[in-house]
């Protein structure tokens, strides 16, 4: 045990934590498990099972097709809730729709169509794979150039690198607000301003940012964004995604997947596609009612906490990981693989270790700590301010230290990279 | 009361119905309501609430992210179940994914890419709106010609019309196996053969066919198909869709939305999109676990019934509607607006009446019969063989006759077309 960071101090942090009681708003099925993977799949809100059960029984089972006049508005209603409680967007700018990948395709294509003559797309070389793959597909189909911006595995993209690459040939910049690997948080306002100065659109992937940092899409002048709801937004496995289009751009942009949920007077079922002039033109097919419904109880908890308090606690949880890693893990070959400045970091922290894959497995199997591994050699720890306690961080780091000290991860097969 | 069709005869049909007891496998929340809209939103299977509750509690709540090694296979596992029990496809040809609209976009684009030089897409002018809109978008983006084939509102597309339009400039034919409006069932084998003879791909929309008629994708030599699961497949409101790609085509085709769920060695997260050579290349983003899960109990009931028995009962329910409409409703200005030959009709039947919109509303509000309205002047009645009784059809038609006779629909506002 280290004298510098005694466990009781972390208990005291929990005792003083204004969000501490919100932990009870989540199902904690196994109190011995330390869950630091809320950045991959958020916990189940305690109100969600009954909420879904009622919808299934009374809505689907009872109202049957007569439930649709209610459900059909949910993509927008819940989009507005996301806008208000997580994204800092205005009403009528966020809609729940499809998957993050499909939304990214729709908005990227829309932006490219709106920038004729420009031939370049910029993306962070270390951005989440699906984002890069989608842009490769769009670039290939349109004969455009996808430039991948070199980015530090631990520090994320340097704004100077982006600025140097911006010119009037750039149609679109796609970036994650928070890097999936190292957690680097970009300065949205600075990026939006730099891109706007050369007339390029910016499309943000907010998957690791939404619900963990106040994104402030309106205040930072963001054009376009997409993101998932199953991480810090606690919407459940494979929950539907969202998309954001700044109000002033909605009528000017047109996405490529012309579905009937974007059609003016949808149920007239007219012969030609004639999209509404607003956000709904970015909808496509029938929205997933069960998946959307799960977002309501999850957003209730976030709204009660307030994103600013979530952010503040997230910073401190991250600082705790960094401090304990420095103090306890350095002798065992770990280094912090995330920005050290909490203003430049989202809610998760990565640690570098050559045996990160086996260590992440040993943590789960031997020490009941769930974090995750990300290629090539990162252990990713994602505390979620709504339900992770400071003492959880202490216990997790203590168990990690024990595994490192005993080298018990050497008993774990390295094997191929698997899901999670 | 008509002597020709006494109610007790319909009770006797129910008594002899081998599927009669399966009605108990669905939640019937309101025994006074006659639900003839299973072709829009299928009923809730009785086993679904507990199945979903367990997944939410034990899977999401208990396993948390550790559930993913199980869930990640569901898109394919449930796809195989759809293939076996509803679609007549082989294993590894059907996957659950996205919405019907997005899937149609993906497969239509893939087919167009695989037919370079061909400039024409054919679609039924009366096909479901989203299908036409999507193809308009693809045609416009690629400078292709979308030819809409004239089609009879009551009888559907004549095969001779299609044959006359097929030539070696046709890249793709998109058709619904069962017309959403009139229920006309196309001859899949004949269409596939005619298209193949000129080297064109056929992409089937099976939304109104899957779970109501044995589609037999393999036996009819189908190339491509998409469909929804919330109608006769009883997957719930906005349930995820499926797509089918004939095995021999999978490696040759590449869809335009390059997501990480199509990537070889997905969790290596390599730099460049390198899609698997099989069906998974048609997946995009993280699949909706809750939505997929609801398909299992629904498919259990279908598997127990057997699609051939479902089809046989569906034919007879349809014949009952046609017979009663002829006998009872002709004096009030109704005409059958569906093919009369049950071999050329899916499970739903449309009736034409100039006041169809108000009549459909009066049926629901005054007589507790839920069918639906489709533009311009059709009342659509969709019995579902798994839970609709013959006596339900008799009662519904009796109540409809009463409304027509008393003209009580004149009390109902016509108003704008709404969602149902």
């Amino acid at each position: 045990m280290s004298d510098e960071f005694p466990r009781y101090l972390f208990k005291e942090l929990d005792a003083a934590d204004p969000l501490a009681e919100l932990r009870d708003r989540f199902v904690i099925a196994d109190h011995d498990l330390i869950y630091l993977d809320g950045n991959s799949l958020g916990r189940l809100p305690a109100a969600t099972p009954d909420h879904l059960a009622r919808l299934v029984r009374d809505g689907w089972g009872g109202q049957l097709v007569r439930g649709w006049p209610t459900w059909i508005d949910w993509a927008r209603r819940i989009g507005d809730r996301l806008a208000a409680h997580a994204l800092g967007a205005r009403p009528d700018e966020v809609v729940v729709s499809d998957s993050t990948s499909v939304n990214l395709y729709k908005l990227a294509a829309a932006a490219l169509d709106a920038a004729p003559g420009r031939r370049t797309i910029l993306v962070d070389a270390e951005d989440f794979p699906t984002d890069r793959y989608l842009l490769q597909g769009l670039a290939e189909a349109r004969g455009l150039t996808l430039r991948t911006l070199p980015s530090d595995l631990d520090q994320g993209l340097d704004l100077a690198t982006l600025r140097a690459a911006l010119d009037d040939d750039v149609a679109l910049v796609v970036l994650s607000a928070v890097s999936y690997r190292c957690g680097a948080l970009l300065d949205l306002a600075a990026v939006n301003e730099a891109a706007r100065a050369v007339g390029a659109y910016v499309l943000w992937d907010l998957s690791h940012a939404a619900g963990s940092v106040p994104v402030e899409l309106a205040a930072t002048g963001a054009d376009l964004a997409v993101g998932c709801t199953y991480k810090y937004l606690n919407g459940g496995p494979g929950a539907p995604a969202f998309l954001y289009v700044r109000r002033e751009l909605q009528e000017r942009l047109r996405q490529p997947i012309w579905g009937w949920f974007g059609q003016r007077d949808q149920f007239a079922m007219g012969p030609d596609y004639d999209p509404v002039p607003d956000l709904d033109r970015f909808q496509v097919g029938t929205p997933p009612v069960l998946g959307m419904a799960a977002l309501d109880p999850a957003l209730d908890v976030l709204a009660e906490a307030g994103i600013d308090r979530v952010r503040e606690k997230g910073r401190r949880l991250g600082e705790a990981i960094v401090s304990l890693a420095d103090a306890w893990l350095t002798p065992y070959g770990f280094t912090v693989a995330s920005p050290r400045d909490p203003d430049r970091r989202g809610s998760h922290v990565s640690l570098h270790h050559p045996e990160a894959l086996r260590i992440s497995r040993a943590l789960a199997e031997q020490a009941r700590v769930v974090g995750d591994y990300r290629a090539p050699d990162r252990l990713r720890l994602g505390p979620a301010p709504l339900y992770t306690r400071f003492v959880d961080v202490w216990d997790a780091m203590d168990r990690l230290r024990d595994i490192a000290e005993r080298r018990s991860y050497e008993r774990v097969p390295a094997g191929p990279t698997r899901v999670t």
Side-chain angles (χ1 to χ4, degrees), chain A:
Chain A
M1 298 291 154
S2 160
D3 285 333
E4 193 187 355
F5 298 107
R7 189 171 189 268
Y8 77 84
L9 277 185
F10 286 69
K11 296 283 279 185
E12 285 176 8
L13 291 175
D14 286 321
D17 171 19
L19 301 185
E21 65 186 20
L22 291 180
R23 179 174 164 90
D24 294 338
R25 305 282 292 278
F26 293 86
V27 171
I28 313 289
D30 176 352
H31 287 273
D32 188 43
L33 185 84
I34 301 179
Y35 192 61
L36 297 181
D37 212 0
N39 56 322
S40 186
L41 176 64
R43 277 193 185 274
L44 171 64
T48 299
D50 283 351
H51 183 77
L52 286 177
R54 269 195 306 276
L55 169 67
V56 169
R57 187 190 60 223
D58 302 338
W60 176 9
Q63 294 191 281
L64 293 160
V65 74
R66 299 166 297 171
W68 266 115
T70 300
W71 304 328
I72 203 164
D73 292 327
W74 286 6
R76 291 291 296 276
R77 179 181 63 76
I78 298 169
D80 279 345
R81 296 195 72 194
L82 285 166
H85 300 306
L87 305 179
R90 296 170 290 179
D92 305 318
E93 293 190 322
V94 177
V95 65
V96 177
S97 173
D98 295 315
S99 68
T100 311
S101 299
V102 169
N103 287 336
L104 197 134
Y105 178 85
K106 292 188 298 193
L107 296 194
L112 295 173
D113 283 344
R118 292 175 178 245
R119 316 288 306 160
T120 301
I121 307 169
L122 300 181
V123 69
D124 182 340
E126 300 301 335
D127 210 337
F128 193 72
T130 210
D131 299 32
R132 292 182 279 109
Y133 303 157
L134 281 158
L135 297 172
Q136 286 172 13
L138 281 163
E140 182 179 298
R142 291 156 182 256
L144 305 177
T145 300
L146 177 64
R147 277 188 62 189
T148 53
L149 302 171
S151 169
D152 189 278
L153 282 188
D154 302 345
Q155 301 302 315
L157 180 69
D158 190 325
L159 203 53
T161 305
L162 172 65
R163 285 212 169 91
L166 282 170
D167 61 31
D168 64 8
D169 193 55
V170 175
L172 175 66
V173 181
V174 177
L175 294 170
S176 286
V178 172
S179 155
Y180 82 101
R181 190 192 277 109
C182 68
L185 169 63
L186 288 172
D187 180 339
L188 273 71
V191 169
N192 290 334
E193 190 185 332
R196 184 157 299 130
V198 299
Y201 292 105
V202 180
L203 168 49
W204 290 102
D205 184 338
L206 303 177
S207 293
H208 284 270
S212 69
V213 299
V215 178
E216 297 299 351
L217 291 171
T220 62
D223 293 329
L224 305 165
V226 300
C228 81
T229 63
Y230 44 75
K231 299 178 186 293
Y232 295 106
L233 291 170
N234 306 307
F242 63 84
L243 64 82
Y244 155 89
V245 180
R246 187 157 58 88
R247 201 179 292 157
E248 293 74 15
L249 290 175
Q250 291 171 5
E251 191 166 353
R252 196 186 325 162
L253 299 185
R254 182 185 273 208
Q255 56 92 6
I257 312 180
W258 294 7
W260 70 316
F261 270 71
Q263 175 77 353
R264 203 188 298 262
D265 198 1
Q266 175 183 4
F267 291 94
M269 299 190 174
D272 296 317
Y273 184 64
D274 175 22
V276 290
D278 62 26
L279 184 65
D280 284 333
R281 60 171 51 197
F282 301 95
Q283 292 201 59
V284 180
T286 306
V289 174
L290 264 57
M292 291 193 297
L295 292 170
D296 271 321
L299 286 169
D300 289 345
V301 186
L302 180 63
E304 189 173 330
I307 189 67
D308 290 326
R309 294 201 298 178
V310 168
R311 169 59 172 157
E312 178 53 28
K313 182 176 174 187
R315 286 166 59 108
R316 298 176 67 205
L317 288 165
E319 286 184 283
I321 292 174
V322 169
S323 300
L324 294 178
D326 285 343
W328 295 351
L329 299 177
T330 308
Y332 306 112
F334 287 87
T335 52
V336 172
S338 292
R340 286 179 170 275
D341 176 357
D343 286 340
R344 292 205 48 243
R345 198 178 60 222
S347 232
H348 66 274
V349 176
S350 284
L351 303 177
H352 171 263
H353 192 286
E355 291 284 7
L357 176 57
R358 292 207 288 179
I359 290 169
S360 77
R361 289 176 184 173
L363 256 185
E365 292 164 19
Q366 299 168 8
R368 318 223 60 220
V369 177
V370 176
D372 62 14
Y373 162 82
R374 280 296 174 261
D377 46 21
R378 298 293 191 280
L379 173 66
R380 200 172 63 160
L381 301 174
L386 291 177
Y387 49 77
T388 305
R389 297 170 300 195
F390 288 94
V391 75
D392 293 331
V393 167
W394 194 96
D395 287 341
M397 297 301 280
D398 182 56
R399 296 182 198 181
L400 177 54
R401 171 172 58 174
D402 182 62
I403 283 170
E405 191 169 20
R406 295 189 295 111
R407 304 175 74 92
S408 62
Y409 58 84
E410 292 179 349
R411 302 202 306 264
V412 178
T417 318
R418 302 169 304 192
V419 62
T420 74

